[in-house]
Amino acid sequence: MIRFDNISKSYDGDEVIHQLNFEVAKGEFFVLVGPSGCGKTTTLKMINRLVEPSEGSILLDRKEIERFPLRELRLDIGYVLQQIALFPNLTVEENIELIPEMKGWSKKKRFEKTRSLLDKVGLAADDYLKRYPNDLSGGEQQRVGILRAIIANPRILLMDEPFSALDAISRKQLQDLMLSLQEELGITVIFVTHDIEEAKKLADRIAVFQNGEIVQLASPIDIEKHPANTFVANLFGGEKQ
């Protein structure tokens, strides 16, 4: 579904991403993991063209992403950030309905889908529709952010450290919620984290980044059992065999 072909990225002559080649399958939960500054977020942002590569091509369903109209591309890609980016002057209902409204959904369709999704994630619609973001806890705000990103059935959901600012209980609840939603809806999720336990819990496959390169790409179990190098072994708390 998504393919990176020889992707590199440089800023002012300083290469931060080097020769990435990988594919993400439709419906896969694909996690990028590694220390801060290793290129995870830059890689994620290339998918919705917030960052443009210096070299190489990114393909979506075998079509180069720059051939999609930018607005169309971004409306088909959900995006959830660590910084819970809800509009404070809009209600929960209005925040969630932003993308469907931009896509021309009827008011009735938007409202019914919003109610259904709120109930699905444990936020009773009758209690939450008319609330504002500052009336919600951090975990509740991030649930609303996730719903805003998925309500219009995006092809891809990008998630950049979405739970790292939350307390441990909220974080576990949202991890479980994402696994449930991803399985039910079949969304292709690309998820950035520096938390190894979170990566192991969520991922079908993990891409381990080091200094702008993927040094191992495999299932969590394979990486734990057969780390590619000492860096990966240390990251995953084991020893290189």
Side-chain angles (χ1 to χ4, degrees), residues 98-115:
L98 279 172
I99 301 301
E101 186 173 5
M102 292 172 70
K103 286 190 165 187
W105 288 22
S106 69
K107 185 174 182 179
K108 180 175 184 291
K109 181 180 179 181
R110 298 196 308 264
F111 180 72
E112 289 177 350
K113 187 69 176 287
T114 298
R115 284 191 64 94

Side-chain angles (χ1 to χ4, degrees), residues 50-158:
L50 287 173
V51 172
E52 299 285 359
S54 303
E55 297 178 16
S57 299
I58 300 172
L59 290 85
L60 175 58
D61 293 335
R62 301 182 181 181
K63 179 179 176 180
E64 294 180 347
I65 60 169
E66 59 265 28
R67 293 175 57 194
F68 291 92
L70 188 58
R71 184 176 186 274
E72 174 188 317
L73 179 75
R74 290 182 177 164
L75 286 176
D76 275 342
I77 298 177
Y79 195 22
V80 182
L81 303 168
Q82 175 185 344
Q83 302 81 13
I84 303 168
L86 300 180
F87 292 99
N89 59 321
L90 300 182
T91 65
V92 165
E93 178 183 6
E94 290 167 337
N95 266 286
I96 295 173
E97 291 184 6
L98 279 172
I99 301 301
E101 186 173 5
M102 292 172 70
K103 286 190 165 187
W105 288 22
S106 69
K107 185 174 182 179
K108 180 175 184 291
K109 181 180 179 181
R110 298 196 308 264
F111 180 72
E112 289 177 350
K113 187 69 176 287
T114 298
R115 284 191 64 94
S116 171
L117 286 174
L118 281 169
D119 289 335
K120 189 184 295 290
V121 301
L123 301 177
D126 289 339
D127 293 334
Y128 283 88
L129 277 169
K130 301 303 179 185
R131 292 193 191 185
Y132 286 87
N134 62 4
D135 298 325
L136 309 179
S137 70
E140 289 171 338
Q141 288 185 44
Q142 198 59 297
R143 286 172 192 252
V144 173
I146 291 168
L147 296 187
R148 184 175 66 183
I150 68 171
I151 184 172
N153 305 313
R155 296 192 197 195
I156 303 161
L157 179 61
L158 307 178

